[in-house]
Each structure stands twice: as structure tokens, then as C-alpha cells.
Amino acid sequence: MKRILFSLLSLLLITSLKAQQYDTIWLSSLDISKATIGWGRPGVDVSCMGNPIILNGITYKRGFGTHAASMLCVKLSEGSARFHAVVGINDEEKATTGSAVFKLYSNTEILWQSGILRSGGPSEAVDISMAKIDTLFICTETTEDGANYDHTDWADAYFLVAGTKPVVIYRPTEAAVILTPEAPLTPRINGPKKYGARPGNDFLFRIAATGERPMKFSAKGLPAGLSLNTTSGIITGKIKKAGSYQVTLSATNKKGSDSRRLTIVCGDTIALTPPLGWNSWNCFATAIDQEKVKAAADAMVNSGLADHGWSYINIDDCWMVQAESTDSILGGEVRDAQGNMNTNKKFPDIKGLADYVHSLGLKIGIYSGPGPKTCAGFTACYQFEERDAGSFAAWGFDYLKYDWCDYERIAKDHSLPELKKPYVIMNEALKKTNRDIVYSLCQYGMGDVWEWGNEVGGNCWRTTGDITDNWSSMESIGFGQAGHEKYAGPGNWNDPDMLVVGKVGWGPQLHPTRLTPNEQYTHISLWALLAAPLLIGCDMTQLDPFTYSLLTNDEVLDINQDPLGKQASRITQIGNMEIWAKNLEDGSLAIGLFNRGLFTSPVTATWKDLGISGSYIVRDLWSQKDEGKFTGKYSATIPGHGVKLVRIYKSQ
Ligand code: GLA
């Protein structure tokens, strides 16, 4: 009844407005290509996939097809009277679990918002006054279940205007404000405080320290079998006996010195803190070659990233031979006469490459999969697992990303035994190599891999599909990690995929990340809180100062690398505001105050929700400044899609 009344009233209003000689300006007649949308293309009278706009069985001739999260900014003229639309999830997703909220904002306030609209569910109509509105933000937002299938349509969308037509403008840009203070010239030792290695295996650890060079290093209490190069700070050798060793690292230069405790735990478990490194996929994808990997290793050292603890250089797909390829560089014999896997001609000397990376004190990673082929169609390990693990070890690899993909045609089904099987086989093969190889499972979270990744020997496991450099991808993956925290711990990490800051592009063409500066702060803060493996996805030879500042904040990296190895939990979620907290080894807490909405808003973390009481000193981690003593709660004003990351210490 209410609905009919509303429609009748709007009809009356619109008829009377039309009688006053307002023009109908269809939203889709404006330049909607300037919209940012979560996936697909902004659709002119079609969905984000190019299909007709159909909501709940009704086909609309006109409309704007989007995918959450999306935003279109429209500058209005004084004569703009009303905005009208019918909104919902396109029927092309009728059978799926899409859901989204539609919102209209002015520069300062929310004007209207729909309920949560779902695939196959009812649509909603909106018809509101545009009087005194300067800029209208036409937005859709994802809901709890992330961005999948959120094909959000603004059907029958038009303005009633007397005078100048509205104009679509680009989303206002945010300044990329650098918050991370520069590292001092005096030595400062960074990186993990706990490090795992297996007895009798090759050991490699580069002391990460910022400060003016030359620098002299020393290490007291090193276990027997290890030695330190005092000029480079690289520790090598083999630890003879299992045990926990308390080592004191020191670094000295002309300006001063610094010392720090490193616990080396020699036993079965490696990756006691989340791996920090780089992976080739998000920047170069199939365009990777040996020179680019070498350049990445050089850049990790020369830029100073390695001085903050970054240490793995991981080659992703496309280093092997592609059986069917007629390309003389990629094609050829996939294995030699003994069955050993060959590299393609873009990797003429893979052992030499690994040796080079090691000479810098860095570690190197490789990629393969349990199927006959990799995702990109190159040779993988199926039925050669032991031989290939032997090659990876003989070449000197320290990390293996093992990607399900083509095993899909081998597996009988997605039952747990079938999902686990190939990962168990490779784990057995890796164990025989006598090399510390971080084992990274990549099967996108199937069968709730977090529940059994540890059981099949994994050190980390991808919990999701592939990330891309936009808000809806990053936010739905990152905030979607809630609940996985109980499976994370030293040697076992949930992996929400690689970082998308800096110049990315899945090769060969690169572009600056499409995440805004605030979204990038959210990305790094959230991944740090999640104790996620941090794998830089950009071209490190083209680091700009802002990206560099995001990757070199030692207090933020310390949250990720905390030896307790806890993953943050979501403490509260009120609308778009979320509080996440991570327990740290020294009894302090890291807290992320997130604003998933589009506009600046206050966010409060209460002691009650955090389960604490009394007074706490709050330290802002990005600017590395104390904010004072707080009792009962801490509030901050957070920009849209932004974050405040703090660490709180009990005050006496
Ligand atoms: C999958 C993985 C990606 C990347 C590619 C390589 O899509 O999820 O991370 O490794 O394969 O082909």
C-alpha cells in the first residue's frame, strides 16, 4: 500500500514538474565512463556486462549499469529539480548471491540509501529533490559477503532539470600524504624478531638495518655453524643442533649504534613470522623474465626496502616451457632426458639467478602447481613432484607457491581428500629436499583451506581468488578475512593475496594502482593487522615516494611481524565503521579504525568492546607519534575508505 501511495505521489509530482517545463536528462546520456566501478564497464543503458537492464523481471530501456563498489560524481546546475531511479541487482545475476546497498550523497551528507538489495529480490525506487545540491555522488556499496555478483543497476535514472545539464566529473582526487617519518641516519635494526630454520639446512638471514653506510654488524650468541659477514650483515651457514638461540644483533656507523634481540628457533617450523617480499605476478604476469627478477632483487636492496626487512624475491608463473607454444622463446622440450623440468629461454640460467639473489642476502621463490600445467598454461609438476621439488632445491629456491588451477581436471571432485591430496604429495617431496622452502598453498580458499592448510604442511594458504587494484576487490578480500584468525600463527598464515600498491598492471603495460591514497593506507594497515604474508606486487624499480613510504614504516611492519603471530579479529562493525584488533607479544594491542564508507566520519573504539579497562597510551603508527593517554575509549575522524592504525599500551 505504502509503495503504491509513494509511486502515485511521485507520479503526480513528476507530472507537475514536467508541466513546469523541466527537461528529462537521462543519467546514461551523461559521460558515465568517468565512474569508478568494482568490475566490468560502466553500462550505458546496459548492465556492467553489456546485457539489458532487467530488474525483477522488468526490462528498462534506459539506465546506468554498474558493479559495487561504484561511484559516479555529477555536478548539478541550479535548475536541477529531482533525481529519479529504480535500483536493484540485474537479473543476469538472479541465481547468485549478489547483494549491495545503493546510496546518494551530496558533498556533505547522505541523501538517501536503499535497503540491502539482493540478486533475484525486489528493486527499490528513489525520487528525491536536488534543490541546493551542488554535487551528487551516485554510489553502490558491497555488503558483508563482498563484491561477488553485485551487478548494480540504476534503471530508468534521470534528472529533471530547468536550465543547464548536469555534468559528470571525475571523483575528486586525494592528496597522497606521506605520513611515515624518514628513517634516521643512526642505525636502526628492523625486520623479524623471531626466525625459524631447520637443523642442517642452508641458513641465510640478512640483518635489516636502516642508517647511513658504511655500517658494521655484530651478532652475539649465534648458534654453532653460523657466521656473520660483518660488512654486509648477512648470516650464513647451517645450524647443527635444534634449539632456541637468543642472539644479540648490533649495527654501528659513524652516527651511532643499535642493538636488538633476535630469537633463532632451530626446529621443524619455518616462516615464524609472515614472509615479507615481492612477487612478479601483479606487475609483470606473463611478461616476466630473468632480467626483471634480477632487477627486482637489486631494487629491493638499492631502494632500501631490504633494510626494513623485505627479503623474498618470488617468481610467479611463466618461467617454464609452454608445451604447445610455437614461440621459440617459450616453446621447446618441457623436460630433459632424465625428466628434469626445463626453463623457457627467458630464464637461461635459473641457478645463476638464485645464486645472485642469495649473494645480496635475499631469498628467492618459485611457482608451480600440482596439475599438468600452470594457470597460464606452462609445464607444472603433475607426476613429477619429487623430481621437481629436487630441482627447486638444487637451484636454491626458498619459497614455493603451489597453484591448484589445472589440477581441476585431475581431481575427481572438491571433496576434502581430493583437495588435500596434491598438497600432501608436494609436501612429502619438499621434506625430502633438506632445504627450508616456505610452502605457499594457492587454491583460492576451496574447502576452507585455513582449516587444514597446516595439516598438509602449508606455511601459508591463499584464502581468496585473485586481488586486483580497485577498492571493491581489496576491501571485500581484506575485510572478508574476519573469522580466519584462529587458524593463523607462527608457521601458518592466511594469505589474502598480494599487495596492489605502486605500479602494477599484470604486464607488460603498468599503471599506478587505482586505489586512492586512503585506500592504500587501508590496504597496508589491514594486511599488517591480518598477519598476512606481505608480497609487494609492483615494479620495485619504479617506486614513487608515496609507495615507498607505505612499505617502509617499521612500526606498521612490526605489527605484521609481531612474534606472537596473532591475526587481528573484527571487534565491532557498525554500518561502515569497523574496529579490528591484534594482540601483540608485549601485551599491547594494535587497533585499526576503518571507515568503509565514502565520506569522512568519526569512528570510536571502546575499551568495553576491546575487553580492556583503565588508561592506555595511544600511538599513531603511520606518523609514529604518541597521541596521549585515553581512558574508556579512543575516537578518530576517518576519511572515506581510510583508516587510523594505532598501538595502545597500558599506562601505569
Ligand atoms: C592464479 C593465481 C595468481 C597467479 C596466476 C598465475 O590466478 O591465483 O596469483 O599466480 O595464477 O598464472
Side-chain angles (χ1 to χ4, degrees), residues 281 316-317 367 375-376 401 403 405 442 444 462 466 497-498:
W281 187 252
D316 207 274
D317 206 344
Y367 167 100
C375 295
K401 172 174 171 183
D403 194 346
C405 241
C442 177
Y444 341 113
R462 275 272 295 278
D466 291 11
D497 207 5
M498 302 172 287

Coordinates of all heavy atoms in Angstrom, one line a residue, residues 281 316-317 367 375-376 401 403 405 442 444 462 466 497-498, ligand 1:
W281 N 53.9 -11.4 -10.2 CA 52.6 -11.6 -11.0 C 51.9 -10.2 -11.2 O 51.5 -9.9 -12.3 CB 51.7 -12.6 -10.3 CG 50.5 -12.9 -11.2 CD1 49.2 -12.5 -10.9 CD2 50.4 -13.6 -12.4 NE1 48.4 -12.9 -11.9 CE2 49.1 -13.6 -12.9 CE3 51.4 -14.2 -13.2 CZ2 48.7 -14.1 -14.1 CZ3 51.0 -14.8 -14.4 CH2 49.7 -14.7 -14.8
D316 N 56.7 -15.7 -10.1 CA 55.4 -16.4 -10.3 C 55.4 -17.2 -11.5 O 56.4 -17.8 -12.0 CB 54.3 -15.3 -10.2 CG 52.9 -15.9 -9.7 OD1 52.2 -16.4 -10.5 OD2 52.7 -15.8 -8.5
D317 N 54.2 -17.4 -12.2 CA 54.0 -18.2 -13.3 C 55.0 -17.8 -14.5 O 55.5 -16.6 -14.5 CB 52.6 -18.1 -13.7 CG 52.1 -19.3 -14.5 OD1 52.9 -20.1 -15.0 OD2 50.9 -19.5 -14.6
Y367 N 57.4 -20.8 -8.5 CA 55.9 -21.1 -8.7 C 55.7 -22.3 -9.5 O 56.4 -22.5 -10.5 CB 55.3 -19.9 -9.3 CG 53.9 -20.1 -9.9 CD1 52.8 -19.6 -9.1 CD2 53.6 -20.7 -11.1 CE1 51.5 -19.8 -9.6 CE2 52.4 -20.9 -11.6 CZ 51.3 -20.4 -10.8 OH 50.0 -20.6 -11.3
C375 N 48.4 -22.1 -14.3 CA 47.3 -21.4 -14.7 C 47.5 -20.7 -16.1 O 46.6 -20.6 -16.9 CB 47.0 -20.3 -13.7 SG 46.5 -20.9 -12.1
A376 N 48.7 -20.3 -16.4 CA 49.0 -19.7 -17.6 C 49.4 -20.7 -18.7 O 49.8 -20.3 -19.8 CB 50.0 -18.6 -17.5
K401 N 55.3 -21.4 -4.3 CA 53.8 -21.1 -4.4 C 53.3 -22.2 -5.3 O 53.7 -22.4 -6.5 CB 53.6 -19.7 -5.0 CG 52.1 -19.4 -5.4 CD 52.0 -18.0 -5.8 CE 50.6 -17.6 -6.4 NZ 50.5 -16.2 -6.8
D403 N 50.1 -23.8 -7.1 CA 48.8 -23.2 -7.5 C 47.9 -24.3 -8.2 O 48.3 -24.9 -9.2 CB 49.1 -22.1 -8.5 CG 47.9 -21.2 -8.8 OD1 46.8 -21.7 -8.5 OD2 48.1 -20.2 -9.4
C405 N 44.9 -24.5 -9.9 CA 44.4 -24.3 -11.3 C 44.1 -25.5 -12.2 O 43.1 -26.1 -12.1 CB 45.5 -23.5 -12.0 SG 44.8 -21.9 -12.6
C442 N 48.2 -22.3 -2.9 CA 47.3 -21.4 -3.7 C 46.2 -22.2 -4.3 O 46.4 -22.9 -5.3 CB 48.2 -20.7 -4.7 SG 47.2 -19.5 -5.7
Y444 N 42.8 -20.7 -3.6 CA 41.8 -19.7 -3.6 C 40.8 -19.9 -2.4 O 39.7 -19.4 -2.5 CB 41.0 -19.6 -4.9 CG 41.9 -20.1 -6.1 CD1 41.5 -21.3 -6.8 CD2 43.1 -19.6 -6.4 CE1 42.3 -21.8 -7.8 CE2 43.9 -20.1 -7.4 CZ 43.5 -21.2 -8.1 OH 44.3 -21.8 -9.0
R462 N 46.4 -19.2 0.4 CA 45.5 -18.2 -0.2 C 44.1 -18.5 0.3 O 43.7 -19.6 0.2 CB 45.6 -18.2 -1.7 CG 46.8 -17.4 -2.2 CD 46.4 -16.0 -2.5 NE 45.4 -15.9 -3.5 CZ 45.7 -15.9 -4.8 NH1 46.9 -16.0 -5.2 NH2 44.7 -15.9 -5.7
D466 N 41.9 -14.1 -6.9 CA 43.0 -13.1 -7.2 C 42.5 -11.6 -6.9 O 41.4 -11.3 -7.2 CB 43.4 -13.1 -8.7 CG 44.1 -14.4 -9.0 OD1 44.1 -15.3 -8.2 OD2 44.7 -14.5 -10.1
D497 N 46.2 -12.6 -0.5 CA 46.8 -12.3 -1.8 C 47.7 -11.1 -1.7 O 47.8 -10.4 -0.7 CB 45.7 -12.1 -2.9 CG 46.3 -12.4 -4.3 OD1 47.5 -12.9 -4.4 OD2 45.6 -12.2 -5.3
M498 N 48.3 -10.8 -2.8 CA 49.5 -9.9 -2.8 C 49.0 -8.4 -2.9 O 47.9 -8.1 -3.1 CB 50.3 -10.2 -4.0 CG 50.8 -11.7 -4.0 SD 51.6 -12.3 -5.4 CE 50.3 -12.5 -6.6
Ligands
GLA1 C1 46.4 -17.8 -10.4 C2 46.9 -17.2 -9.0 C3 47.7 -15.9 -9.3 C4 48.8 -16.2 -10.2 C5 48.3 -16.8 -11.5 C6 49.5 -17.2 -12.4 O1 45.5 -16.9 -10.9 O2 45.9 -17.1 -8.2 O3 48.1 -15.4 -8.0 O4 49.8 -17.0 -9.6 O5 47.5 -17.9 -11.3 O6 49.0 -17.8 -13.6

